[in-house]
Amino acid sequence: MATRKRFPAEFVERYSRFIPDFDDFTQAMAAPLPRTVRVNTLKATREKALDWLSDLEPEPLPWWELAFKVSDEGSIGKRLEHFLGLVYVQDAASMVPALVLGPKPGERVLDLAAAPGSKTTQMAAMMDNSGLLVANDFSRTRVRGLVGNVDRAGCLNVAICRMDGIRLGRAVEGTFDRVLVDAPCTCEGTIRRSGEALGRWSVAASERFGRLQKGLIVAGFRALKPGGRMVYSTCTIAPEENEEVVAYLLARYSDAETCEIELEGFSMRQALAEWKGVWFPEAVASCRRILPQDNDTEAFFLACISKKEQAC
Amino acid sequence: MLSQVRDICHRFGISESVFKGLVDIQLQDTVFVATEDVMSFDLVRPMRRGLRFCRMFPRSVKPTTFAMQVLGRSATRNCIDVDNQTARQLVNGSQVEIDAGPDVENGFVLIRCQGFVLGTGLYKRPLLKSQIPKYRPVEE
């Protein structure tokens, strides 16, 4: 119960409604985040990267052979293997959206809100540096970080754009095999990494972001080819930025359908069926919530959406 | 293949087969390398395609650190292997004295550590000067 006091009363009142083990949740949110890294296979094999990391006692995560928990000593960013791009520091939950999207070598993939590039570089490696990966972000300063990370990871299959995501979605309609919309959000799920998100927390902010996210999910869906697949993700808990956004897309596009999400060895919970008395379409139940107490990660939300093939 | 790219491949003994499926283009004083799909994408105008491969200066062409890290792995000539401690010094911008052996020519060289290309250096026997861009300092 004591950890509840670290959160605003409204936050507790709001989220204890649908997180049944809410005390476990607040305890996990108050605990330090384990440090995790991903091996960048564009630069090194798993074995070579592990050699470099050996003094940090890398511990494999059970759900992906390239993800490791490492000890907290020193800054990884100041190590040679980081400079060489052999490893990328990334929270475990943040590796899941790209795994669910599953881009393949030679495909055309869009990362609509890409900066700082953790998922872009992950997908570039999953595509084996082939095909086309368009990494877009609107913010000039964030794009600078994206360029740096794409360089360090050695990505030859990435085109970087700095455009309004909604405009980009219109310009590339029906082009991509896969689209990732890792939408800008209130970042409630990152509270255990930095208290910043909690400092500016408000329901109004979630409602504001919800409007932007609805535009972005539609833009991402428009960019998909028929038969293509999109993942919508956020690192936040608010239903206004998650289930409501997916429901908005499903209500407007009859060719949008949700897909089941599973990752062996990684616990995820079902999305909400109802929020504030409004019931979501049944298809929203396929979306998943990642809660910090389940896998010792940040909190995340995931939806996997496919665009139906056109009838002949 | 652009002549600047061919010259760099020749200097470091990088096989041209490394560039299979890749396209190089020159924009002002910089050559970029990317996949064919990236280079032919024209529905919008990206601000950047692939990796910067090299930059042209009035009297030299400098291969970039990040392109060499990924495309210079098969280099067979003008490479200098250093230990971890020296690698850290070079990443932090220092210059070191090194006996690179008779096969290494003065001029641009690739600096390698444990088989990985760190970046480029300028070798003027016996001094190896780091050409690796200022990054966050690595712990020495």
Side-chain angles (χ1 to χ4, degrees), chain A residues 100-116:
Chain A
V100 171
L101 186 64
K104 306 270 186 303
E107 287 187 332
R108 294 166 80 85
V109 179
L110 170 63
D111 188 352
L112 198 60

Side-chain angles (χ1 to χ4, degrees), chain A residues 42-44 48 52 74-75 77-80 82-86 106-108 129-134 143 147-148 150-152 154-163 168 171-172 175-176, chain B residues 22 33-41 43-52 65-67 69-71 73 83-85 87-88 91 113-114 116-119 132-133 135-139:
Chain A
L42 296 182
K43 292 277 188 82
K48 285 273 183 199
W52 283 83
S75 161
K78 291 182 176 174
R79 290 171 66 100
L80 262 186
H82 185 266
F83 169 75
L84 286 164
L86 314 186
E107 287 187 332
R108 294 166 80 85
N129 239 349
S130 68
L132 167 68
L133 173 50
V134 174
V143 163
V147 169
V150 163
D151 276 349
R152 194 172 54 81
C155 305
L156 293 157
N157 59 346
V158 174
I160 296 175
C161 297
R162 196 179 72 80
M163 283 180 73
L168 177 60
V172 297
T175 303
F176 290 94
Chain B
L22 299 176
V33 176
T35 61
E36 287 166 4
D37 288 343
V38 166
M39 287 303 188
S40 61
F41 177 67
L43 293 176
V44 294
R45 197 168 157 199
M47 56 174 278
R48 167 79 183 263
R49 295 175 197 263
L51 288 180
R52 283 196 326 178
T65 293
F66 294 117
Q69 284 185 354
V70 71
L71 295 167
R73 283 183 290 205
D83 58 25
N84 283 24
Q85 182 56 34
R88 290 190 183 95
V91 171
C113 177
Q114 291 189 37
F116 292 95
V117 176
L118 274 181
I132 296 166
Y135 189 69
R136 69 184 85 182
V138 295
E139 279 163 346

Side-chain angles (χ1 to χ4, degrees), chain B residues 91-125:
Chain B
V91 171
N92 289 342
S94 305
Q95 52 185 25
V96 295
E97 275 193 21
I98 205 158
D99 175 14
D103 296 338
V104 176
E105 301 162 321
N106 282 348
F108 281 117
V109 293
L110 294 188
I111 306 167
R112 287 191 303 214
C113 177
Q114 291 189 37
F116 292 95
V117 176
L118 274 181
T120 55
L122 205 49
Y123 189 53
K124 193 175 176 195
R125 210 169 298 274

Side-chain angles (χ1 to χ4, degrees), chain A residues 67-189:
Chain A
F68 294 89
K69 189 169 145 182
V70 291
S71 81
D72 258 350
E73 277 166 49
S75 161
I76 296 186
K78 291 182 176 174
R79 290 171 66 100
L80 262 186
E81 57 269 35
H82 185 266
F83 169 75
L84 286 164
L86 314 186
V87 293
Y88 195 106
V89 181
Q90 186 175 357
D91 176 59
S94 137
M95 300 178 200
V96 177
L99 292 178
V100 171
L101 186 64
K104 306 270 186 303
E107 287 187 332
R108 294 166 80 85
V109 179
L110 170 63
D111 188 352
L112 198 60
S118 48
K119 297 169 194 80
T120 303
T121 52
Q122 182 184 355
M123 292 194 291
M126 291 169 78
M127 295 164 73
D128 205 12
N129 239 349
S130 68
L132 167 68
L133 173 50
V134 174
N136 177 67
D137 210 280
F138 187 53
S139 152
R140 190 184 296 270
T141 44
R142 285 171 60 82
V143 163
R144 222 172 285 145
L146 172 65
V147 169
N149 284 323
V150 163
D151 276 349
R152 194 172 54 81
C155 305
L156 293 157
N157 59 346
V158 174
I160 296 175
C161 297
R162 196 179 72 80
M163 283 180 73
D164 171 61
I166 294 168
R167 247 187 72 214
L168 177 60
R170 271 200 295 268
V172 297
E173 188 143 5
T175 303
F176 290 94
D177 300 297
R178 295 173 203 257
V179 174
L180 177 64
V181 181
D182 184 46
C185 65
T186 48
C187 303
E188 293 166 335

Side-chain angles (χ1 to χ4, degrees), chain A residues 14 27 89 120 125-126 131 199 236 240 243 309:
Chain A
R14 198 172 143 80
Q27 261 174 36
V89 181
T120 303
M126 291 169 78
T236 207
E240 291 85 351
E243 286 89 346
E309 296 277 4

Side-chain angles (χ1 to χ4, degrees), chain A residues 3-68:
Chain A
T3 50
R4 282 188 181 215
K5 290 181 185 153
R6 296 191 186 189
F7 298 90
E10 199 182 358
F11 182 97
V12 173
E13 193 275 324
R14 198 172 143 80
Y15 295 136
S16 58
R17 270 196 254 168
F18 67 82
I19 301 176
D21 45 349
F22 191 72
D23 287 322
D24 294 343
F25 168 81
T26 53
Q27 261 174 36
M29 288 291 253
L33 188 66
R35 194 151 57 157
T36 50
V37 297
R38 166 174 59 80
V39 173
N40 175 20
T41 51
L42 296 182
K43 292 277 188 82
T45 60
R46 181 180 190 269
E47 289 66 35
K48 285 273 183 199
L50 283 177
D51 280 351
W52 283 83
L53 292 169
S54 59
D55 61 312
L56 293 180
E57 298 161 357
E59 191 183 307
L61 297 178
W63 41 271
W64 194 33
E65 72 275 12
L66 299 176
F68 294 89

